[in-house]
Amino acid sequence: MLILARKLGERVVVCLNGETVTIEILKIRGAQVSVGFKAPTQVAVHREEIWDKIVDEQVEQQRMPVAC
């Protein structure tokens, strides 16, 4: 895991398979940080709990028998 310290307005840039995702610190209020993501439309960006639901649903669909 890469751990970075960022200040308000600073960014992190991730390049994955030729696609660039920019992550920016937008607001800091107490223990809460607002983060913005700028990514191409073909790159999915999800909160972890949403991603977990997507993965769980895909696993369930693979387990379902195919109807004739």
Side-chain angles (χ1 to χ4, degrees), residues 5-66:
R6 298 279 74 200
K7 295 177 183 174
L8 186 64
E10 292 185 331
R11 297 180 181 119
V12 174
V13 178
V14 178
C15 183
L16 179 63
N17 298 326
E19 301 291 352
T20 301
V21 177
T22 303
I23 305 152
E24 182 177 352
I25 306 304
L26 300 175
K27 181 171 56 173
I28 302 170
R29 183 179 293 166
Q32 190 172 21
V33 178
S34 293
V35 183
F37 296 84
K38 183 177 180 183
T41 55
Q42 64 269 22
V43 175
V45 179
H46 300 286
R47 296 185 325 242
E48 183 178 30
E49 60 272 20
I50 300 299
W51 179 250
D52 290 343
K53 273 186 172 181
I54 292 168
V55 170
D56 289 346
E57 287 172 4
Q58 289 176 350
V59 168
E60 269 307 306
Q61 287 177 358
Q62 290 175 358
R63 289 183 189 167
M64 296 178 95
V66 177

